[in-house]
Amino acid sequence: MDKIRNDLMARLKRIEGQIKGVVKMVDEGRNCDEILIQIASIRSALNKIGIMILENYLKICLHKVNKKKKDFEEIENFFETFSKYVKF
Amino acid sequence: MDKIRNDLMARLKRIEGQIKGVVKMVDEGRNCDEILIQIASIRSALNKIGIMILENYLKICLHKVNKKKKDFEEIENFFETFSKYVKF
Amino acid sequence: MDKIRNDLMARLKRIEGQIKGVVKMVDEGRNCDEILIQIASIRSALNKIGIMILENYLKICLHKVNKKKKDFEEIENFFETFSKYVKF
Amino acid sequence: MDKIRNDLMARLKRIEGQIKGVVKMVDEGRNCDEILIQIASIRSALNKIGIMILENYLKICLHKVNKKKKDFEEIENFFETFSKYVKF
C-alpha cells in the first residue's frame, strides 16, 4: 500500500506544479489554446489518479470480503462510490 | 479581459489548495471514497475553468472575424481546438 | 448548407447502423469490453456531429448579425446553446 | 444477466429511434439549437448504457476472481478497459 501511496503523492505533487504553471500562463496572457492543452493534460493526470484510487479501493474491499466473510456488503459500497464517480 | 483573468487566477489558486488537501488526505491514509469525492470536485472545478477559457477564446475569435473581415477562418480554428479539448 | 446537411445525414445513418450493430452484439452475448469499444466509437461520432452543428449554427448567427445589424443578440443565443451543450 | 440484456436492448432501440428522429429534423431543416438538444439527450442515453455495461463487466470480473482464485488479474483487466473508455 505504501508503494501506491508514494506513487499517488508524486502524481499529485506533479499536478500541483502543473496548476502553478497554468496560473503563470494566465498571468502572462498566453493564448487560450495553449492554456486549454495544459488543462486537458491536468484533467488526464487527475483521471489517472481517480482510476488508481478506485482500483485500490476495490482491492481493499475484496480483501475485507475474504477475511471477514461479510458477504458482498463491501463490494456494494464500492459500487456505490464507483457509480457516483463515473456519472460525470 | 482583466476581470476574467482575475476570476481564472482565483479559481486556479483554489484548485491548487484542493490538490494540497488531497495530498494530506493520502498521507493520513484517509478512506478511498472520501478522497474520490475530492478528486471529483477538483475535476468539476477544472472543467468549469476549461469552459470559461473556451468561451473567452471564442469571443476573441469573434472579435477578429469582425475586424479583419477574413471570413470564418478564426471560427474554424476555434472549433478545431474545441474538438481536441472536448472528449466524451 | 446542403453540403453540410448531406454530410450530417450520412453520418447519422452510419451511427444508426452502429447502434444496430451493438444491439446484435448484446443479443449474441459478446464480451463487455468489445461492446464498450463500439459505444466509445459511437460517442465520438456523435460528438463530431454535435461540433459540426455548433460550428454551422455559429456561422448562421454571424451571417444574421452582418445582415440585420441587430448587434450581438444572435451571438448571445449561440453562447447560451453552446454553454448548455458543453456542460456535460 | 438476461434482465440486463433486455434492458440494454430496449435502451439501444430507443437510441436508434432518436437517431432516426434527428435525421428527420436535419432533413426538415430544423433549427440548430433544437437538434443540439436531441444530440445531447442521445449522448446522455449512450453514457448511461456505457455505465451499465461497465458495472456489469465489473460484476463478471468479480465472479471470476472468486471462482478461480487467480488473484486480481481480472480486476486489473477491468480497470484497463475502464481507463480506455472513460475520458474526461
Side-chain angles (χ1 to χ4, degrees), chain B residues 12-39:
Chain B
L12 286 162
K13 291 280 180 195
R14 221 173 302 141
I15 289 182
E16 206 187 306
Q18 284 180 289
I19 297 283
K20 277 189 220 290
V22 176
V23 170
K24 202 160 163 271
M25 288 174 90
V26 172
D27 195 37
E28 291 170 350
R30 294 275 281 280
N31 285 347
C32 293
D33 55 344
E34 290 178 89
I35 298 174
L36 283 166
I37 289 167
Q38 282 306 308
I39 299 280

Side-chain angles (χ1 to χ4, degrees), chain D residues 9-40:
Chain D
M9 303 280 269
R11 285 172 187 274
L12 286 162
K13 291 280 180 195
R14 221 173 303 142
I15 289 180
E16 206 187 306
Q18 284 181 290
I19 296 283
K20 276 188 221 288
V22 176
V23 171
K24 203 160 161 274
M25 288 173 89
V26 172
D27 195 35
E28 291 169 352
R30 293 276 281 279
N31 285 347
C32 293
D33 55 345
E34 289 178 89
I35 298 174
L36 282 165
I37 288 167
Q38 282 306 307
I39 299 280

Side-chain angles (χ1 to χ4, degrees), chain A residues 36-73:
Chain A
L36 283 167
I37 289 167
Q38 282 306 308
I39 300 278
S41 155
I42 296 170
R43 197 173 54 179
S44 289
L46 200 65
N47 191 25
K48 175 73 187 148
I49 288 176
I51 290 172
M52 284 174 65
I53 297 175
L54 275 173
E55 185 168 344
N56 188 44
Y57 184 24
L58 180 56
K59 285 178 183 173
I60 293 170
C61 292
L62 287 173
H63 279 296
K64 285 187 190 159
V65 168
N66 291 333
K67 276 189 202 148
K68 301 188 188 163
K69 300 273 173 218
K70 44 151 133 173
D71 242 320
F72 279 99
E73 195 191 306

Side-chain angles (χ1 to χ4, degrees), chain B residues 48 51 54-55 58-59 62 65-66 69 72 75-76 78-79 82-83 86-88, chain C residues 43 47 51 54-55 58-59 62-63 66 72 75 78-79 82-83 85-88:
Chain B
K48 175 73 188 148
I51 292 171
L54 275 172
E55 291 198 352
L58 182 52
K59 282 175 191 165
L62 287 173
V65 167
N66 290 330
K69 299 274 174 215
F72 294 139
I75 300 302
E76 276 148 26
F78 169 78
F79 281 101
F82 179 67
S83 65
V86 178
K87 310 217 191 261
F88 322 68
Chain C
R43 196 173 53 179
N47 192 25
I51 290 172
L54 275 173
E55 188 170 341
L58 181 56
K59 285 176 184 172
L62 288 173
H63 279 295
N66 291 332
F72 279 99
I75 300 299
F78 171 79
F79 268 103
F82 181 75
S83 303
Y85 183 77
V86 293
K87 246 162 238 145
F88 49 95

